[in-house]
Amino acid sequence: MFSSLPAWLPPILLSSVLLGFYDVGKKSAVKDNSVMPALFFATLTGTVFFLIITLCGGKFAAASVCTGREFILILLKSMLVGSSWICVYYAMRDLPISIAAPIRATSPLWTLLGGILLFSEKPTPWQWVAMIVIFVGYYLFSVLGKSEKIDFLHHRGIYLIMIGTLLGAGSALYDKYLLNVVRISPLTVQFYFSIDLVAVLGLSFAVRSLCFGHKHVFHWRWSIFITGILLILADYTYFYAVSLPDIQISIISLVRRCNVIVSFALGCYLFRDRNIWKKAWALVLILAGVAMLALAK
């Protein structure tokens, strides 16, 4: 039974679960806290962890092999992702996780459109149905979010989460270009991406501190440390899946974004979000859509 599953499905499902825990850790890290230092130290922790396991696994030399052109391409990815994360982290501080996570989950919609336009991807009819089912689930999340008394047209957090989501969708498309077109090793991408991201966010942190200061006092929390490690593990399984042949980035992004299930369930419990049962119905559609994708031929 399981032998008929696509090779990319197990690593993407694992990445999705890890990403769900990452979202919860991210919300804990920035809740009533200064965003930029929390983001920087989480990223730094993850990068150090990745370098340690690369060294211990004897893969440091292989991971560090990179041409000048490849380095520039990966640096561009780091700048794109860094911009996305800054927006998302600020939005996560301002919004309930049961609102922020579902909005982030709409990223596959933009990735799907980009995959069709840029890479001529052609999902099967069954996959189209599965995606529509998942999109309906995302839409219900957005509608139910209005009961949180959040003005979607004028709330800063909504604008930031949308900008971060669009940038994240662009990053997913760029991942396919790096791994499937340029054919850079997934380990090399993650190696330089992690290092470059520390530099990008470190510079942003310094500029923010020197030019604008911080309205919130920074508090160190263990969730900052854990968040960085969870992201590295989630990215490792994700990059591996994207590097596999004959993958469709639109489908992979959809399944990965089902991390909203973990984010929603655990986040609502920990942060006492409201209207849990009403929002839970949308999860049923997302689960149904994932099952349909897994069985699609």
Side-chain angles (χ1 to χ4, degrees):
M1 176 181 178
F2 293 102
S3 60
S4 62
L5 294 176
W8 54 263
L9 186 59
I12 279 297
L13 286 177
L14 177 58
S15 178
S16 179
V17 172
L18 292 169
L19 204 60
F21 282 102
Y22 163 72
D23 277 345
V24 175
K26 180 167 57 180
K27 175 66 176 178
S28 174
V30 299
K31 184 177 174 62
D32 300 321
N33 204 2
S34 184
V35 170
M36 285 306 301
L39 173 56
F40 173 73
F41 286 119
T43 305
L44 179 62
T45 298
T47 298
V48 171
F49 172 73
F50 176 73
L51 293 177
I52 290 174
I53 61 175
T54 303
L55 278 169
C56 294
K59 297 181 179 180
F60 188 89
S64 61
V65 175
C66 181
T67 66
R69 175 175 177 267
E70 290 173 344
F71 178 82
I72 295 299
L73 290 174
I74 297 172
L75 176 60
L76 292 175
K77 171 181 169 57
S78 300
M79 295 173 66
L80 180 62
V81 172
S83 301
S84 174
W85 286 4
I86 290 172
C87 292
V88 170
Y89 266 68
Y90 274 102
M92 289 290 285
R93 185 179 65 186
D94 296 342
L95 297 171
I97 194 171
S98 58
I99 299 296
I103 293 177
R104 283 284 290 157
T106 62
S107 175
L109 172 62
W110 312 107
T111 304
L112 169 64
L113 296 176
I116 293 172
L117 294 174
L118 299 178
F119 297 108
S120 300
E121 293 185 357
K122 296 180 180 180
T124 66
W126 187 248
Q127 289 171 332
W128 274 113
V129 173
M131 286 187 283
I132 291 172
V133 170
I134 294 176
F135 291 154
V136 172
Y138 293 155
Y139 174 75
L140 289 179
F141 266 126
S142 300
V143 171
L144 291 170
K146 294 179 180 179
S147 61
E148 303 290 335
K149 308 299 183 182
I150 293 176
D151 187 347
F152 274 54
L153 295 178
H154 301 95
H155 197 285
R156 186 189 73 158
I158 298 297
Y159 292 147
L160 289 174
I161 200 77
M162 286 302 302
I163 294 172
T165 298
L166 291 173
L167 291 173
S171 174
L173 293 169
Y174 194 52
D175 288 338
K176 180 167 182 177
Y177 173 74
L178 293 177
L179 297 169
N180 281 149
V181 179
V182 184
R183 310 293 286 184
I184 306 175
S185 163
L187 191 61
T188 299
V189 171
Q190 188 166 14
F191 180 86
Y192 284 103
F193 165 69
S194 300
I195 295 173
D196 291 347
L197 195 56
V198 170
V200 169
L201 293 177
L203 179 61
S204 300
F205 178 23
V207 171
R208 168 71 179 177
S209 301
L210 293 174
C211 298
F212 304 101
H214 295 280
K215 295 181 180 179
H216 294 76
V217 177
F218 173 65
H219 303 282
W220 170 259
R221 297 167 183 166
W222 281 107
S223 55
I224 295 174
F225 175 84
I226 296 171
T227 296
I229 294 177
L230 284 172
L231 181 62
I232 288 295
L233 296 175
D235 277 350
Y236 181 85
T237 51
Y238 166 71
F239 284 135
Y240 170 74
V242 175
S243 70
L244 295 174
D246 301 322
I247 62 98
Q248 293 189 29
I249 194 65
S250 54
I251 305 299
I252 280 186
S253 296
L254 272 172
V255 177
R256 193 179 190 230
R257 277 301 165 194
C258 289
N259 71 293
V260 66
I261 297 170
V262 176
S263 305
F264 174 85
L266 188 57
C268 286
Y269 173 75
L270 293 176
F271 303 112
R272 301 292 189 267
D273 283 8
R274 296 176 293 168
N275 302 310
I276 297 176
W277 290 110
K278 291 181 179 180
K279 295 174 184 176
W281 285 106
L283 292 178
V284 175
L285 290 175
I286 292 177
L287 285 171
V290 172
M292 292 167 66
L293 284 175
L295 297 173
K297 301 297 183 180

